[in-house]
């Protein structure tokens, strides 16, 4: 058996196959532990050509030596075997002497693996063919078949390749049942020669049963799938060219698709229903049911088309008014007032036919409450109901701002602390690490390391056992030292800092490496992110070095609140503890505490300053001076432009340039536009939470460094930058130019989740009385004008914010944004479609909604010119609506 192992290690696949085939069953069982040992050894070896070449031979040997089908399948499909597999023909050959039941079992188990396991299709298909079992219609098997058909057979047309497939029917059925076409989507193509045309041709020729294919295609569209899967199945449905009888049989399916499917599929279903409705294939009740779902969709094109269809049917069948007009009234609640008006006009034309249907008329009157105020007046006159009562004085409703959470003390139990550290490490990245929980854990590690390091190590053992630096068989001491000590390559993140502290506790990092990290620190870098990232890095390295050399009794900088604020009285108490114990204060720890200490509450700050001065320590005297000096002054700022972007530069923060460690002084330097746009390796949003907790009363210093990142969310379609905006709004200090510019970019972000975060930030600022709507509106007007923010995205954000009840706030914002855009519109004349007009109609619609609901009055510069334009374009219609709303006079 040593010869087998020698052949495996040398990567001689053919020789390995011959040797293991000659072994008896007992010898194969005896060889298995040695093969598993080789596999473990290869897993721990860095990936290189010497170890890589052993895997194909190892796969063959293990497949033959495992007597159980489950074990053999698991071995063959192992993740470490995936990138270098044995030839399929060889695997099939060495397994050929197994009975057919065993081979069928292995085939089914391999096919049951996820698609990502990348089991060779030819191996599964070969086992199926040799065993004679039914084809396993699983995702892995079907995806493998699609790839095989798409990549093989040279110049043979796809339709002929499919025609030659003996298991075509079940595999095609499996194709329709795939949860997501995923990576094989591109293989389907379009037009002649595509999968869709081939399947349609085979269906027409009778190779595939027509009813089964049609039913499967419709069922797949109903079920949905990946975001682009409909681009395969919808064209196929069109190529199948369903007859009128086939269309009529599936009215319920078309109704469901029109209501819930993605927009292209819903449009197809709507067209089918429209055709049937106009040639008598739908009853009025069926059309009403389909319309009720369609008219609730957000796509205005679909809603308008359905109203047109309903109008045509009502013109041909006036008797259907009692059935169809309640469905039309569903559109009264649509967010687009033009859709509301279309629906109301349809009701106006047909309402006389409801004279004998008082219950239907009453139901439509109830639905009319969803109309805009101006349209409600028309509806009251048409429906013969009481005039709409004069609205009460408008009262703004803003969601209550989130309250900061008081941090609880660090766990007194080392076991409980270990559980919290484990949870933080399992969060999977700094973007998921809660700052309060992280700071609490750091404080707990410092306290327990000072109290009893042996007990702390014992409690943390289950956590440390899972860390990469603890697994000596795969990572040597040199790798660990380089990772934790290579300060020139990168900065420690929150997760990396926890790893460093744990590694220090377990001796994975030498004292010399820890000292070098504290003394030299990371290389300086002139980018927007380095200052904050550097502070976190030096704090973590200082803590690790002190745990090894001079444990601290506690951390001074641990916040009192979830925002990062530290109560001055608590900091005085902690300094007093250091004084009583004769402990040495950490330089970085104390500097961070000074940046976090609350100074806005002057009475509390001055009281703590008196106590701090009585401590008789240098740190107490320094704290007393800081607290007595008042709030930190913000530097001056200037706007700069870079292409369509508007960025902000800020001056020097003198307070941070003196009496602070070098790592902290970076935040006090002037911040220039070149700093903002310079690429660096700190790129990303993962540390933004820590940035705000670093300066919890100076959010403008954070915001000025975020402006460029937020501009990328609007201009470059970056995802995730907006997540920081609610935290920025909840932070302390002045909400100035940079904060509002960040929110402005977020409202125009590409991705909905970023826009929603910006809406949250806007509402928090408004609820806290810190929103300058005039500033924000002017910023938005300039950004839209420069092309940095798209009007349609801004309109969606504004509508979302207004829907919470903040109509007056959003109107005030748009009142200062719209004149800038309307002025540009006026200068471009009335001919053609001006560039600034794209999406402006949507903004005017939101503004009109807010003005009507909040009772806003007055004139808006340049609005009259837009309203005086000819035509019925959305921009003109909404400009007139806004003009009329602002001109309404209160009843005497």
């Amino acid at each position: 058996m040593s010869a087998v192992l020698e052949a495996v290690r040398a990567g001689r696949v053919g020789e390995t196959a011959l040797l293991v085939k000659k072994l008896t069953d007992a010898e194969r069982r005896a060889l298995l532990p040695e093969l598993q040992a080789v596999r473990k050894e290869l897993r721990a070896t860095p990936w290189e050509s010497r170890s890589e070449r052993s895997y194909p031979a190892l796969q063959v040997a293990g497949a033959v030596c495992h007597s159980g089908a489950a074990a053999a399948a698991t071995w063959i499909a192992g993740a470490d075997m995936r990138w270098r597999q044995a030839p399929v023909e060889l695997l099939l050959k060495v397994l050929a002497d197994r009975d057919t039941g065993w081979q069928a079992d292995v085939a089914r188990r391999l096919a049951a693996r996820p698609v990502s396991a990348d089991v060779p299709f030819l191996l599964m298909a070969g086992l199926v063919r040799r065993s004679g079992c039914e084809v396993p219609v699983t995702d892995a098997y079907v995806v493998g078949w699609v790839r095989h058909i798409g990549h093989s057979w040279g110049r043979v047309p796809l339709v002929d390749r499919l025609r030659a497939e003996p298991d075509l029917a079940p595999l095609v059925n499996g194709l329709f049942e795939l949860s997501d076409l995923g990576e094989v989507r591109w293989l389907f193509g379009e037009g002649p020669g595509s999968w869709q045309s081939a399947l349609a041709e085979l269906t027409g020729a009778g190779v595939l049963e027509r009813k089964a294919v049609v039913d499967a295609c419709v069922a797949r569209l109903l079920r949905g799938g990946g975001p682009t899967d409909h681009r395969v199945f919808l064209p196929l449905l069109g190529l199948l060219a369903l007859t009128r009888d086939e269309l009529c049989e599936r009215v319920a399916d078309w109704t469901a698709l029109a209501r819930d499917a993605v927009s292209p599929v819903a449009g197809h279903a709507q067209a089918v229903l429209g055709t049937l409705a106009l040639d008598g294939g739908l009853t009025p009740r069926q059309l009403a049911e389909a319309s009720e779902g369609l008219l609730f969709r957000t796509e205005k094109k679909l809603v308008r088309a359905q109203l047109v269809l309903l109008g045509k049917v009502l013109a041909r069948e006036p008797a259907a008014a009692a059935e169809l007009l309640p469905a039309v009234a569903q559109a009264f609640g649509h967010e687009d007032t033009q859709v509301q008006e279309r629906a109301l006009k349809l009701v106006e034309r047909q309402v006389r036919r409801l004279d004998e249907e008082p219950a239907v008329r009453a139901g439509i009157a109830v639905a009319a409450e969803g109309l805009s105020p101006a349209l409600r007046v028309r509806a009251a006159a048409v429906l013969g109901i009481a005039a709409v009562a004069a609205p009460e004085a408008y009262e703004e409703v803003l969601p209550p701002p989130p309250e900061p959470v008081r941090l609880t003390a660090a766990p007194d139990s080392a076991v409980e602390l270990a559980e919290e550290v484990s949870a933080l490490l399992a969060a999977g990245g700094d973007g998921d690490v809660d700052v309060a929980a992280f700071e609490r854990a750091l404080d707990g590690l410092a306290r327990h390391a000072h109290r009893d390091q042996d007990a702390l190590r014992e409690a943390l053992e289950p956590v440390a056992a899972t860390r990469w630096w603890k697994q000596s068989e795969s990572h040597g001491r040199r790798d660990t030292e380089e990772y934790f000590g290579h300060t020139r390559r990168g900065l420690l993140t929150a997760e990396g800092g926890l790893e460093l502290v744990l590694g220090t506790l377990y001796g994975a990092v030498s004292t010399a490496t820890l000292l070098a990290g504290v003394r030299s620190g990371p290389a300086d870098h002139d980018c927007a992110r380095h200052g904050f990232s550097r502070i976190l890095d030096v704090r973590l390295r200082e803590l690790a070095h002190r745990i090894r050399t001079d444990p601290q009794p506690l951390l001074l900088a641990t916040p009192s609140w979830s925002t990062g604020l530290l109560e001055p009285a608590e900091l005085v108490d902690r300094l007093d503890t250091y004084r009583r114990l004769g402990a040495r204060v950490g330089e970085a720890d104390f500097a961070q505490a000074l940046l976090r200490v609350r100074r806005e509450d002057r009475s509390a700050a001055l009281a703590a300053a008196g106590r701090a001065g009585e401590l008789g320590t240098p740190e107490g005297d320094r704290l007393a001076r800081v607290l007595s000096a008042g709030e930190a002054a913000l530097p001056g700022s200037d706007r700069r432009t870079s292409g369509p972007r508007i960025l902000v530069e800020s001056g020097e923060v003198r307070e941070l340039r003196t009496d602070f460690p070098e790592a902290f002084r970076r935040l006090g330097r002037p911040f220039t536009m070149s700093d903002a746009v310079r690429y660096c390796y700190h790129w990303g949003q993962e540390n933004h939470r820590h940035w705000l907790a670093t300066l919890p009363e100076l959010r403008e210093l954070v915001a000025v460094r975020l402006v460029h990142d937020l501009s990328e969310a609007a201009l470059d379609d970056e995802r995730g930058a907006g997540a920081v905006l609610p935290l920025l709004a909840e932070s302390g200090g002045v909400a100035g130019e940079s904060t509002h510019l960040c929110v402005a970019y977020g409202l125009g972000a590409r991705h909905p989740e970023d826009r929603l975060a910006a809406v949250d930030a806007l509402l928090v600022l408004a609820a806290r009385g810190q929103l300058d709507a005039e500033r924000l509106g002017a910023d938005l007007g300039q950004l839209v004008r420069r092309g940095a923010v798209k009007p349609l995205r801004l309109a969606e954000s504004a509508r979302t914010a207004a829907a919470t009840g903040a109509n007056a706030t959003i109107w005030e914002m748009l009142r200062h944004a719209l004149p800038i855009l309307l002025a540009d519109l006026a200068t471009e004349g009335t001919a053609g479609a001006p560039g600034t007009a794209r999406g402006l109609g949507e903004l005017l619609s939101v503004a009109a909604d807010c003005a009507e609901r909040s009772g806003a009055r007055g004139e808006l510069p340049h609005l009259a010119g837009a309203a005086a334009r000819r035509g019925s374009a959305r921009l003109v219609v909404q400009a007139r609506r806004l003009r009329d709303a602002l001109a309404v006079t209160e009843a005497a």
Side-chain angles (χ1 to χ4, degrees):
M1 289 189 287
S2 60
V4 177
L5 295 176
E6 182 181 345
V8 167
R9 291 182 183 278
R12 297 192 290 270
V13 186
E15 181 182 342
T16 300
L18 291 174
L19 291 173
V20 293
K21 287 285 287 182
K22 295 177 181 179
L23 299 178
T24 64
D25 290 344
E27 289 174 329
R28 292 176 181 177
R29 286 194 295 272
L31 183 60
L32 267 178
E34 297 186 63
L35 292 176
Q36 290 165 347
V38 172
R39 185 179 187 181
K40 184 177 180 181
E41 177 186 326
L42 291 176
R43 283 174 173 171
T45 304
W47 191 260
E48 56 186 20
S49 58
R50 179 173 297 179
S51 62
E52 181 184 352
R53 69 184 183 185
S54 303
Y55 275 107
L58 182 63
Q59 187 181 37
V60 168
V64 174
C65 291
H66 279 94
S67 57
T74 300
W75 181 276
I76 292 171
D80 50 346
M81 308 282 187
R82 189 175 306 164
W83 308 113
R84 278 299 306 272
Q85 301 191 19
V88 169
E89 299 80 3
L90 184 59
L91 275 174
L92 290 172
K93 184 176 180 180
V94 297
L95 299 177
D97 60 348
R98 300 296 181 94
D99 64 74
T100 57
W102 187 93
Q103 293 188 51
D105 195 3
V106 171
R108 285 190 291 267
R109 292 177 182 277
L110 290 176
R113 294 269 169 172
V115 175
S116 59
D118 205 22
V119 179
F121 169 74
L122 290 177
L123 176 60
M124 296 185 286
L127 291 170
V128 168
R129 185 178 64 254
R130 289 170 181 247
S131 65
C133 67
E134 291 186 5
V135 60
V137 186
T138 64
D139 280 9
Y141 197 92
V142 173
V143 167
W145 173 67
V146 171
R147 288 171 175 165
H148 173 66
I149 292 291
H151 288 100
S152 59
W153 295 55
R155 297 182 179 275
V156 179
L158 176 63
V159 65
D160 293 334
R161 285 177 258 163
L162 292 174
R163 199 189 306 271
E165 172 59 57
D167 298 307
L168 182 62
L171 287 172
V172 168
N173 187 60
L175 176 64
F176 288 114
E177 293 178 356
L178 283 177
S179 57
D180 188 349
L181 293 182
E183 296 179 1
V184 298
R185 160 72 183 86
W186 66 276
L187 287 171
F188 287 87
E190 297 176 355
S194 65
W195 275 78
Q196 298 93 312
S197 62
L199 292 175
E201 182 178 339
L202 293 173
T203 302
V207 177
L208 293 170
E209 184 185 354
R210 180 177 178 81
K211 186 177 186 307
V213 174
V214 173
D215 286 345
C217 192
V218 173
R220 175 52 192 265
L221 291 173
L222 282 167
R223 188 172 67 249
T228 61
D229 286 3
H230 65 274
R231 297 180 186 174
V232 172
F233 299 108
L234 186 58
L236 173 58
L237 189 64
L239 291 172
L240 291 172
L242 273 61
T243 65
R244 187 177 186 282
D245 289 341
E246 288 175 324
L247 293 174
C248 290
E249 289 173 4
R250 297 171 174 83
V251 168
D253 294 332
W254 309 130
T255 300
L257 288 172
R259 179 189 301 116
D260 300 320
V262 294
S263 193
V265 178
H268 174 81
Q270 182 187 44
V272 171
L273 290 169
T275 301
L276 294 177
L278 294 175
D279 69 4
L282 284 187
T283 66
R285 182 67 256 162
Q286 288 174 319
L287 178 57
E289 289 176 356
S291 300
E292 287 171 358
L294 258 168
L295 294 176
F296 273 114
R297 294 187 68 106
T298 58
E299 301 96 328
K300 283 171 277 197
K301 180 180 179 181
L302 295 179
V303 174
R304 287 195 294 263
Q306 194 65 17
L307 289 174
V308 170
L309 172 63
L310 287 166
K312 290 179 179 179
V313 174
L314 283 167
R316 295 175 53 178
E317 302 179 45
E323 290 274 12
L324 297 182
L325 286 182
V328 173
Q330 298 294 322
F332 288 172
H334 199 276
E335 65 179 22
D336 185 354
T337 55
Q338 283 188 289
V339 169
Q340 294 180 12
E341 187 171 14
R342 282 175 179 265
L344 181 57
K345 286 180 178 179
L346 189 51
V347 170
E348 288 172 339
R349 290 197 298 267
Q350 302 290 334
V351 71
R352 66 182 185 279
R353 305 187 186 281
L354 300 180
D355 292 342
E356 304 300 324
E357 302 285 349
V360 176
R361 195 184 191 99
I364 295 175
V366 171
E369 295 177 3
L371 291 167
S372 67
L375 294 178
R376 282 204 300 272
V377 174
R378 280 177 52 182
V382 169
L383 296 171
I385 58 179
V388 180
E392 298 179 0
Y394 175 76
E395 183 178 350
E396 185 83 336
V397 178
L398 293 170
E403 295 292 334
V405 178
R406 184 83 179 190
L407 263 68
T408 56
D412 191 56
S413 163
V415 174
E416 184 181 347
L417 174 64
E419 292 174 354
E420 293 190 6
V421 171
S422 178
L424 286 169
L425 290 172
D430 295 312
D432 298 319
V433 173
D434 178 75
V435 174
F438 171 74
E439 294 285 352
R440 184 171 181 265
L442 283 187
D443 186 42
L445 288 167
R447 290 173 183 266
H448 283 277
H450 180 268
R451 185 185 308 166
D452 188 343
Q453 291 198 15
D454 290 336
L456 179 59
R457 277 189 288 270
E458 182 180 354
L460 287 168
E461 182 61 39
V463 182
T466 65
R467 312 322 298 170
W468 61 268
W469 43 264
K470 198 75 160 52
Q471 300 169 5
S472 57
E473 66 273 13
S474 57
H475 295 278
R477 179 61 176 255
R478 180 177 178 181
D479 294 336
T480 307
E481 294 281 355
E482 181 179 355
Y483 177 84
F484 286 125
H486 206 329
T487 58
R488 299 289 170 184
R489 182 177 59 187
L491 298 173
L492 285 173
T493 61
E495 185 181 9
L498 289 176
E499 295 273 14
L500 173 62
V501 171
L502 292 181
T504 300
L505 284 167
Y506 285 90
V509 190
S510 68
T511 305
T513 296
L514 294 173
L515 180 60
V518 171
R519 285 180 172 175
S520 63
D524 201 2
H525 196 287
D526 288 329
C527 73
R529 299 152 188 83
H530 189 273
F532 291 101
S533 300
R534 185 184 178 101
I535 285 177
L536 182 62
D537 181 275
V538 298
R539 287 182 59 214
L540 292 167
R541 293 189 185 279
E542 179 183 82
L543 172 61
H545 181 252
R546 289 290 297 273
I547 284 176
R548 175 67 56 80
T549 60
D550 181 17
Q552 299 159 271
L554 52 85
L555 292 183
L556 297 172
T558 305
S560 306
W561 300 93
S562 56
T563 57
L565 270 179
L566 172 58
E567 291 295 338
E570 289 188 33
L571 181 53
V572 174
D573 291 341
R574 294 172 188 174
L575 285 174
D576 189 37
T577 300
Y578 268 76
R579 181 190 61 79
R580 288 188 291 102
L581 296 175
R584 179 170 58 88
V585 171
E587 185 182 42
D589 184 31
F590 182 55
Q592 176 63 92
L594 290 177
L595 295 182
R596 284 179 172 166
V597 69
R598 183 195 291 271
R599 297 161 67 178
E600 286 182 340
D601 185 344
R602 296 308 303 149
S603 60
L606 292 174
R611 291 182 54 213
E614 295 172 358
L615 293 176
T617 63
E619 292 79 17
D621 294 340
R622 173 79 187 286
L623 176 59
R625 291 195 300 273
V626 169
L627 293 176
S628 300
E631 299 178 30
L634 288 174
S637 62
D638 293 302
R639 290 200 166 199
R640 295 287 184 268
T641 58
S642 175
R645 287 178 170 85
I646 298 176
L647 302 175
V648 181
E649 295 184 335
S650 65
E652 182 179 75
V653 185
R654 294 184 179 179
E655 180 178 330
L656 296 179
R657 298 292 288 154
T658 58
D659 297 332
F660 273 94
E662 177 58 32
F664 288 75
R665 295 177 191 172
R666 178 68 179 85
L667 294 182
R669 299 180 191 174
F671 182 78
T672 66
M673 191 169 70
S674 62
D675 295 328
V677 301
R678 183 178 288 115
Y679 177 81
C680 72
Y681 55 82
H682 318 105
W683 210 271
Q685 295 82 42
E686 64 273 8
N687 277 329
H688 285 168
R689 293 172 181 262
H690 297 277
W691 292 17
L692 288 161
T694 301
L695 297 173
E697 284 190 334
L698 291 170
R699 74 172 127 205
E700 274 294 287
L701 292 186
V702 180
V704 73
R705 291 162 170 80
L706 291 174
V707 170
H708 187 269
D709 283 1
L710 269 299
S711 74
E712 292 190 322
L715 277 162
D716 303 324
D717 296 347
E718 291 292 329
R719 185 190 295 271
V724 72
L725 289 172
L727 301 174
L728 185 66
E730 295 168 27
S731 191
V734 174
E737 181 177 31
S738 297
T739 298
H740 283 77
L741 197 53
C742 284
V743 174
Y745 278 120
L747 292 173
R750 163 67 176 83
H751 297 285
E753 61 269 29
D754 290 324
R755 294 198 297 272
L756 188 59
V759 169
D760 288 343
L762 184 154
L763 295 174
V764 170
L765 289 172
R768 298 180 68 186
Q770 297 172 335
L771 180 69
D772 186 339
E774 180 177 354
R775 181 199 294 269
L776 180 60
D779 285 344
L780 286 167
Q782 292 297 336
L783 290 174
V784 172
R785 187 171 181 266
R786 297 177 64 85
V789 166
K790 290 182 170 55
L792 285 174
R793 296 177 187 172
L794 174 58
E796 182 180 334
S797 297
R799 194 182 297 279
T800 301
T804 67
N807 292 288
T809 298
I810 300 306
W811 162 246
E812 188 66 16
M813 177 186 80
L814 294 178
R815 185 170 74 86
H816 293 92
L818 288 172
I820 299 172
L821 307 177
L822 292 172
D824 285 346
L825 191 65
T827 60
E828 291 180 358
T830 58
T836 55
R838 188 180 300 276
L840 185 52
E842 289 297 327
L843 274 178
L844 288 167
S845 174
V846 179
D849 284 342
C850 294
E852 290 173 347
R853 288 180 168 84
S854 65
R857 301 292 181 265
E859 293 186 2
L860 190 70
H862 309 292
L863 177 62
R869 288 186 165 211
R870 296 179 179 179
S872 58
R874 182 167 181 76
L875 185 154
V876 177
V877 170
Q878 295 302 322
R880 293 169 184 165
R881 178 183 164 217
L882 178 57
R883 176 200 61 191
D884 295 343
L886 295 176
V888 171
T889 58
E890 299 293 343

